[in-house]
Amino acid sequence: MKWPVFILSGISCYRCLSNMSFADCETKQEIVNCTFPRNYCLKQKNSTIDKNDQESVFYKGCISADQCRQKEKSSMECCGDTLCNTGKFNV
């Protein structure tokens, strides 16, 4: 007897990384298929200050629901629809 095969498909998100801006990130972005448990899209800006220098990292990609709840909300946006992590960071 053959058992049916179920394929769990996640959503698709944009993925990119830049040290300059979201606009620069978007010039390098690609579409990726997220896999469980990473079933949300993410847009995140991280900034670090070292003495007088400030460095920012702009990232888009896949993330799990648990990580969305645990992260600092002011530095990231999570969404649950396909290709929803577009545009710049809205804060």
Side-chain angles (χ1 to χ4, degrees):
M1 175 179 197
K2 287 188 174 185
W3 294 96
V5 175
F6 295 99
I7 299 173
L8 298 176
S9 61
I11 63 173
S12 295
C13 299
Y14 292 108
R15 180 176 62 191
C16 62
L17 178 67
S18 172
N19 290 344
M20 297 178 66
S21 65
F22 276 117
D24 181 61
C25 189
E26 287 177 357
T27 65
K28 308 169 194 176
Q29 78 184 8
E30 60 185 356
I31 296 173
V32 295
N33 294 317
C34 303
T35 56
F36 184 82
R38 293 186 172 115
N39 48 359
Y40 284 86
C41 296
L42 161 77
K43 230 181 341 186
Q44 184 172 27
K45 176 186 176 186
N46 286 329
S47 297
T48 57
I49 300 173
D50 182 19
K51 295 184 182 178
N52 294 328
D53 295 329
Q54 180 176 350
E55 184 175 310
S56 296
V57 176
F58 301 85
Y59 174 75
K60 293 182 182 184
C62 304
I63 192 168
S64 71
D66 286 343
Q67 290 172 312
C68 283
R69 286 189 291 271
Q70 294 171 2
K71 293 283 186 177
E72 175 86 22
K73 294 295 181 191
S74 62
S75 68
M76 66 185 279
E77 293 178 4
C78 295
C79 53
D81 296 320
T82 291
L83 303 178
C84 59
N85 59 338
T86 60
K88 64 180 183 178
F89 195 63
N90 299 315
V91 284

